[in-house]
């Protein structure tokens, strides 16, 4: 019997080793280990053995069975893995083909600049004030220390609708309206983004419609140095940490003293290049200390309160920041232009 | 203002400076120097020559053969084409080896067989603009006065060895519209004295008052009028140095008298006018407002209609000049003039501006009056002009002047404390620093216990209040020296308003859905302004548009977006998805300002999905546009408040357009552009929407309230209903939702079938209904009960049958 078992084991293991498919292996399992298999038959024949030999023989049968089962299992793993690999090989795709496109739009570059500036100033305690684009002569000019006969009105030829109403030429009327709402009580801390309109022929550097962001702070101890500090924060945020600012005296009817603010040229780092016309500086802002007439007209006591105001041309910022060379691009809305601003930049 | 660097040195010492270093300093202290022009740039080797002989070129009618002494060992032969060249003239000669503008090198040449050793130059050839060249030399070579030295550098004689600073003056700094004004500014910057021109009065015994009377009938507009009379004048060209200075400043020389008035205008900033006494036609000057229907022919030969808004100088009966703007042709100084009246006056800025604007006449003179001249320089300017005329036009100045003076302009006296200056600037200047600044500016200043009392000279009419003094202190102290701080004081919370936050969320949703933000113009044509308007209101028109194309304010955004689509389509950009959030403008009866309402609009065309290599393409259709809106409403929490209703709207496809309702009110529409319009604009199938963003943002929205995550399973039942083709899915959906009761949580349509397997006039709509009870597991019976109600309701209300 023992020999018969050895024989069966060898025979079975041989077949397992030769098996190349899972089905074949299963057949071997059924054939050798199944109820009708030869090993079971050997077990049945154990009744003829002596009581001493029977357990020995039983143990031997179990060893053989286990040996065959183990080998089948090992082989099964091998075959299964091969089957999986074969399937995977068939499923192989070209991963270099493009992915399924996801529709994705984005901000207009001007909105991008505006939101960046808004967020910066909100972080410094400002709110965002807005107002009408069609304004009264009063809010657009007179409340800003530009009476009807003021020569500075020449500086901004305007689109009038009636004698008394016009397309606003700056977002300053929003400042005037906001101050009025405060009824002489500070502090006021606002920025005013929005569209403005001037009588210009559209060309590479002029647009009859453009955007501005103005800022206004009124409190009891506001000084020119505060304006300087605030705009330095702005310049570094929008144009990069290395930027420096420079104030130059200037004139605006609604501020006194007035300044123009230059930012050190981003392109050449201040050495002088074609963008900054060799000066190392680029003019980007105007501002100053709020004119006492403007404060008084809006109901603020100019002895108690002082303030600063500044104005930024949004297109100018975007043109400098992104190297755009023609202001008309912002209003043509060529999608080849719009789609260039759809990602993060640090 | 163009400032000759050489001329400026007449009034202020510029030693140790160059034009460039001075420019930097001027810019830093407040007046932007926009450019420095080196007049001799690109010029070399031009000398003064003496034409010894001139004869006709033997082989050319239009050429002259000249023998010219250029200061060399022997005279040279030069062929010259200028019609005015002649023997005895002193002329500018570009000798062999000279360089003229445009890198034009002068070489020895042969012209029609005759040797030419250089070129006799016109002023244009020396880089002077044609508009600045005196009429006599406009079409030929320039002829020097006889006293110039042969062989001398011609550029020096022409004042081209100079640099000119172009000042960009802001409207408040009209004091620098004069050389003296600039000298004060430069003097303050450098801490140097200002030297005034000396006036040597030489007057005859005859009295000016015997020649002319002056009467001012509008003293508010003309508080000071000074007339000087000069006899025996000989009109001739002005001296070369004066001509060159005028040209450097951008003024064309005419004759000695006119040039002198212009020279004084530049020197003092005081415009003057010269009348021909004999052509005046009377012995009086009456200054008054013009009468209606009065006319004058001005020096430029234009006939001008006058009105009572305009101030005129008359001879007692008719106008001889528009005050401060331009003289009349009738009293113009001409070559035969012998007696001149020089007018030096103070005219009010407003009256001059009005006339200059009405007649579209902007002159050097009007520009200065408009901004205000120094009242204390009027008289002196007149005196200096008279003296120069006697000196350079051989005239005799009559004794005294004829004046009407009602002027009462006192210098401004302003007090300010050191504390105020330092507080407003954030600086810590000392008393002596501030005092020295005011002294350098040549303001009168006295100090009492840190309070400055400053007397501002009348030339600085821009300084009237404390803040103006603060600015003077700041700019002279230097903005670079001001420290950098941030505002301290009351802390304010920074935030966006609810409305602004909604706008940002709307943008992000639309962009997330694949739309790019466009920004278009608010101004449009009359025709486009009203197209696709949500409200049939009148549009707002500009009073004086620059073009019809930009003459009205838009009532809707869609026409602008369609323009953008058209632009892009014309450039092979066929698939587009754009939106804009911006204002439209609606005229309001009885209101000064129009209503400005923010709208959100979009335009989508071409392919919505494109996966090329997998062969998948999905064109944009109505439901793409509507899906975008649904996402938008969802973001804003408005889904429950929104309804759609089939709509017919001008310019829109009648079968593919829906009104959008918010709580029952129409707030906009979505749909396909009418095929006829598409064709007109050369567009492919394009879907648009426009909604009142204001209405959306102002609608009340519930706060978010958590509801429990279901613990029990739901049961889903699908039904297919046969309905009339005219029945709309939204109605059925509403009936189902109402009838399903509490247990019915979701209804969604999942199939629409119209076709041959249906009876004519019928279609099939299939819905999926999800039942669910948060408290327990539903039984089949519960669901069946609810479901039967649903079926009964759709049958009763919409005649819907279950599809067999």
């Amino acid at each position: 019997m023992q020999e018969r078992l050895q024989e069966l084991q060898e025979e079975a293991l041989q077949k397992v080793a030769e098996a190349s498919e899972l089905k074949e292996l299963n057949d071997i399992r059924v054939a050798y280990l199944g109820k009708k298999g030869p090993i079971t038959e050997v077990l049945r024949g154990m009744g003829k053995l002596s009581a001493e030999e029977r357990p020995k023989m039983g143990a031997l049968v179990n060893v053989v069975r286990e040996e065959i089962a183990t080998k089948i299992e090992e082989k099964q793993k091998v075959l299964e893995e091969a089957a999986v690999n074969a399937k995977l090989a068939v499923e192989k795709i070209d991963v270099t083909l493009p992915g399924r496109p996801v529709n994705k739009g984005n901000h207009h570059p001007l909105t991008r600049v505006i939101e960046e500036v808004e967020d910066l100033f909100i972080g410094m305690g400002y709110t965002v004030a807005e107002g009408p684009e069609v304004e009264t002569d009063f809010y657009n000019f007179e409340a800003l220390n530009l009476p009807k006969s003021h020569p500075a009105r020449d500086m901004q030829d305007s689109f009038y609708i009636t004698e008394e109403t016009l397309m606003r030429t700056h977002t300053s009327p929003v400042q005037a309206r906001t101050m009025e709402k405060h009824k002489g009580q500070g502090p006021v801390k606002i920025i005013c983004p929005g569209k403005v309109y001037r009588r210009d022929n559209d060309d590479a550097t002029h647009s009859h419609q453009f955007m501005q962001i103005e800022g206004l702070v009124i409190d009891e101890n506001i000084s020119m140095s505060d304006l300087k500090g605030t705009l330095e924060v702005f310049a570094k945020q929008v144009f990069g940490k290395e930027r420096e600012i420079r104030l130059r005296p200037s004139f605006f009817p609604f501020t006194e003293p007035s300044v123009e603010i230059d930012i050190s040229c981003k392109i050449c780092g201040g050495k002088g290049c074609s963008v900054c016309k060799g000066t190392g500086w680029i003019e980007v802002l105007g501002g100053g200390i709020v004119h006492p007439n403007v404060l008084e007209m809006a109901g603020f006591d100019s002895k108690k309160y002082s303030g600063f105001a500044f104005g930024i041309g949004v297109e100018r910022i975007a043109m400098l920041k992104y190297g755009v060379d023609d202001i008309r691009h912002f209003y043509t809305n060529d999608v080849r232009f719009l789609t260039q601003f759809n990602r993060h930049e640090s | 203002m163009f400032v000759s660097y050489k001329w400026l040195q007449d009034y202020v010492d510029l030693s140790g400076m160059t034009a460039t270093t001075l420019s930097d300093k001027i810019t830093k202290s407040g007046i932007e120097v926009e450019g420095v022009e080196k007049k001799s740039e690109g010029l070399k080797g031009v000398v003064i020559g003496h034409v010894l002989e001139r004869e006709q070129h033997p082989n050319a009618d239009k050429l002259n053969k000249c023998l010219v002494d250029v200061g060399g060992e022997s005279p040279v032969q030069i062929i010259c084409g200028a019609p005015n060249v002649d023997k005895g003239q002193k002329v500018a000669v570009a000798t062999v080896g000279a360089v003229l503008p445009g890198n034009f090198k002068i070489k020895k040449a042969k012209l029609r067989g005759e040797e030419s050793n250089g070129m006799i130059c016109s002023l244009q050839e020396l880089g002077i603009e044609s508009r600045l060249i005196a009429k006599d030399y406009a079409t030929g070579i320039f002829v020097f006065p006889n006293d110039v030295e042969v062989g001398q550098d011609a550029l020096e004689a022409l004042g081209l060895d100079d640099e000119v600073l172009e000042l960009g003056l802001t409207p408040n700094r009209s004091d620098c519209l004069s050389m003296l004004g600039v000298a004060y500014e430069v003097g303050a910057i450098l801490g140097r004295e200002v030297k005034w021109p000396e006036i040597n009065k030489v007057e005859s015994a005859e009295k000016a008052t015997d020649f002319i009377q002056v009467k001012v009938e509008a003293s508010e507009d003309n508080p000071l009028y000074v007339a000087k009379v000069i006899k025996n004048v000989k009109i001739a060209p002005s001296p070369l140095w004066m001509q060159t200075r005028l040209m450097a400043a951008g003024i064309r020389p005419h004759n000695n008298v006119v040039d002198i008035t212009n020279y004084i205008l530049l020197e003092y900033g005081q415009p003057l006018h010269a009348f021909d006494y004999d052509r005046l036609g009377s012995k009086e000057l009456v200054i008054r407002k013009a009468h209606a229907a009065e006319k004058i022919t001005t020096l430029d030969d234009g006939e001008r209609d006058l009105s009572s808004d305009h101030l005129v100088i008359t001879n007692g009966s008719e106008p001889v000049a528009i005050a401060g703007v331009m003289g009349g042709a009738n009293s113009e100084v001409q070559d035969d003039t012998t007696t001149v009246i020089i007018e030096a006056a103070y005219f009010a800025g407003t009256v001059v501006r009005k006339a200059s604007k009405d007649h579209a006449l902007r002159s050097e003179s009007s520009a200065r009056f408009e901004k205000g001249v120094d009242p204390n320089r009027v008289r002196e300017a007149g005196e200096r002009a008279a003296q120069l005329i006697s000196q350079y036009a051989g005239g005799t100045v009559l004794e005294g002047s004829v004046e009407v003076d009602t002027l009462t302009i006192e210098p401004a006296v302003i007090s300010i404390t050191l504390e105020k200056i330092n507080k407003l600037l954030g600086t810590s200047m000392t008393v002596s620093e501030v005092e020295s600044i005011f002294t350098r500016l040549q303001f009168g200043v006295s100090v009492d216990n840190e309070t400055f009392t400053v007397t501002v000279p009348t030339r600085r009419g821009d300084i009237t209040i404390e803040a103006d003094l603060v600015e003077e202190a700041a700019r002279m102290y230097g903005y670079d020296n001001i420290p950098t701080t941030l505002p301290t004081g009351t802390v304010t919370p920074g935030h966006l308003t609810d409305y602004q936050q909604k706008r940002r969320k709307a943008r992000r949703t639309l962009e997330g859905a694949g739309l790019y933000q466009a920004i278009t113009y608010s101004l449009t044509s009359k025709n486009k302004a009203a197209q696709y308007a949500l409200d049939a209101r009148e549009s707002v028109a500009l009073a004086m548009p620059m073009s019809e194309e930009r003459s009205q304010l838009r009532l809707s955004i869609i026409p602008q977006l369609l323009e953008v689509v058209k632009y892009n389509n014309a450039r092979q950009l066929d698939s587009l998805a754009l939106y804009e959030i911006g204002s439209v403008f609606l005229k309001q009866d009885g209101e000064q300002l129009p209503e400005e309402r923010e709208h959100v609009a979009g335009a989508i065309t071409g392919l919505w999905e494109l996966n090329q290599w997998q062969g998948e393409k999905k064109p944009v259709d109505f439901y793409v546009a509507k899906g975008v809106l649904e996402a938008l409403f969802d973001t804003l929490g408005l889904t429950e408040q929104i309804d759609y209703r089939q709509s017919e709207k001008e310019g829109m496809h009648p079968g593919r357009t829906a009104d959008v309702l918010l709580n029952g009110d129409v707030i906009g529409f979505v749909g396909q552009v009418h095929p006829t319009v598409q064709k007109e604009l050369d567009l492919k199938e394009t879907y648009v929407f426009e909604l009142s963003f204001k209405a959306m943002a102002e609608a009340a929205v519930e706060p978010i309230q958590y509801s429990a995550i279901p613990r029990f399973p739901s049961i889903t039942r699908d039904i297919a209903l046969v309905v009339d083709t005219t029945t709309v899915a939204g109605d059925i959906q509403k009936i189902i939702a109402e009838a399903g009761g509490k247990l019915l949580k979701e209804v969604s349509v999942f199939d629409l079938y119209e076709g041959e397997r249906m009876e004519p006039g019928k279609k099939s709509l299939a819905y999926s209904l999800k039942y669910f009870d948060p408290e327990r597991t539903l039984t089949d019976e519960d669901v069946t009960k609810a479901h039967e109600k649903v079926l009964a309701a759709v049958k009763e209300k919409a005649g819907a049958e279950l599809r067999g």
Side-chain angles (χ1 to χ4, degrees), chain A residues 175-247:
Chain A
Q175 299 187 12
R177 285 173 179 271
T178 308
M179 279 192 274
E180 201 178 70
K181 274 188 210 134
H182 272 76
K183 297 192 191 313
Q185 282 302 308
V188 178
K189 263 178 123 172
I190 51 166
I191 56 162
C192 321
K195 292 174 187 159
V196 301
Y197 305 83
R198 292 193 195 163
R199 249 187 122 73
D200 272 323
N201 281 309
D202 296 339
D203 63 23
T205 53
H206 295 87
S207 181
H208 74 276
Q209 172 182 323
F210 59 101
M211 294 184 116
Q212 268 193 340
I213 305 173
E214 295 196 336
L216 171 73
V217 175
I218 295 175
D219 207 344
E220 289 184 21
N221 283 302
I222 297 300
S223 70
M224 186 62 92
S225 61
D226 293 334
L227 173 64
K228 204 173 167 183
T230 301
L231 294 177
E232 196 169 88
V233 172
F234 161 81
K236 287 182 190 297
Q237 168 73 29
V238 175
F239 292 104
K241 286 191 203 73
E242 289 75 36
R243 301 282 66 80
E244 284 169 37
I245 66 161
R246 174 178 85 167
L247 269 53

Side-chain angles (χ1 to χ4, degrees), chain A residues 9-21 24-25 28-29 32 67-76 79:
Chain A
Q9 179 175 347
E10 271 167 39
E11 195 183 291
L13 292 184
Q14 175 78 23
K15 285 190 176 167
V16 169
E18 284 167 6
S20 62
E21 278 176 45
E24 215 176 316
L25 201 62
I28 296 168
R29 188 198 327 268
Y32 286 88
E67 177 67 14
I68 295 171
T70 307
K71 289 290 182 205
I72 288 178
E73 219 167 277
E74 283 172 6
K75 182 71 181 201
Q76 182 166 355
L79 287 182

Side-chain angles (χ1 to χ4, degrees), chain B residues 265-321:
Chain B
L265 170 132
L266 291 170
E267 188 175 48
Y268 281 72
Q270 171 64 45
L272 302 175
H273 183 65
F275 295 102
D276 182 326
Y277 178 78
D278 300 311
R279 286 194 168 84
L280 209 53
S282 80
K283 294 200 168 205
E284 61 169 354
L285 290 172
V286 179
I287 296 94
R288 60 162 166 83
K289 287 291 183 70
H291 306 311
E294 215 165 9
K295 286 181 198 303
I296 182 171
T297 302
T298 42
L299 286 175
D300 57 355
D301 290 330
E303 196 186 59
R304 314 279 172 181
D305 293 322
L306 300 169
S307 81
S308 59
D309 288 338
H310 308 138
L311 187 69
V312 288
I313 321 297
T314 70
N315 61 3
S317 50
E318 55 169 1
V320 292

Side-chain angles (χ1 to χ4, degrees), chain A residues 14 21 30 77 97 115 127 131 274 304 315:
Chain A
Q14 175 78 23
E21 278 176 45
V30 175
K77 272 194 190 144
L97 281 165
E115 286 199 1
T127 52
S274 65
K304 182 176 174 197
E315 282 82 356

Side-chain angles (χ1 to χ4, degrees), chain B residues 101-168:
Chain B
N103 202 22
F104 177 41
K105 290 184 180 126
I106 303 298
K107 295 176 190 147
K108 214 176 228 183
K110 250 194 181 152
L111 293 169
R112 298 275 182 108
E114 289 290 337
E115 196 173 281
S116 185
N117 297 295
M119 181 171 124
I120 302 178
C121 300
S122 69
L123 294 182
Q124 283 99 329
E125 282 157 343
L126 297 177
I128 296 176
E129 287 176 71
S130 300
R131 67 176 179 90
L132 298 179
I133 298 171
K135 280 189 184 125
D136 288 351
Y137 308 115
T139 56
I141 53 159
F142 178 73
V143 181
F144 285 92
N146 236 332
D147 56 0
V148 294
E149 204 176 302
V150 173
Q152 186 202 339
D153 186 345
L155 302 180
E156 209 181 295
L158 285 168
L160 295 177
D161 57 337
D162 194 8
E163 286 171 87
V164 173
L165 281 57
E166 185 181 356
L167 305 187

Side-chain angles (χ1 to χ4, degrees), chain B residues 20 51 134 214 288 385 611 625 731 795 798:
Chain B
T20 316
V51 183
V214 176
R288 60 162 166 83
N611 200 359
D731 288 351
K795 182 166 186 177

Side-chain angles (χ1 to χ4, degrees), chain B residues 661-719:
Chain B
L661 292 83
L662 175 68
N663 297 320
D665 297 326
V666 176
I667 58 157
F669 62 93
V670 52
Q672 188 193 331
V673 172
H674 197 289
T676 322
V677 178
Q678 287 177 175
K679 209 175 153 198
E680 266 168 37
L681 293 173
D682 213 7
L683 306 179
K684 308 214 167 59
E685 197 167 303
T686 301
Y687 289 85
V688 292
F689 60 83
E690 179 146 358
L691 306 159
S692 165
F693 183 72
K694 186 163 179 272
M696 287 157 66
E698 284 173 359
V701 178
E702 296 285 312
I704 292 176
Q705 187 64 50
Y706 155 83
S707 59
I709 309 296
R711 283 182 295 144
F712 303 98
S714 60
I715 294 178
T716 301
R717 294 262 171 104
D718 292 347
I719 48 171

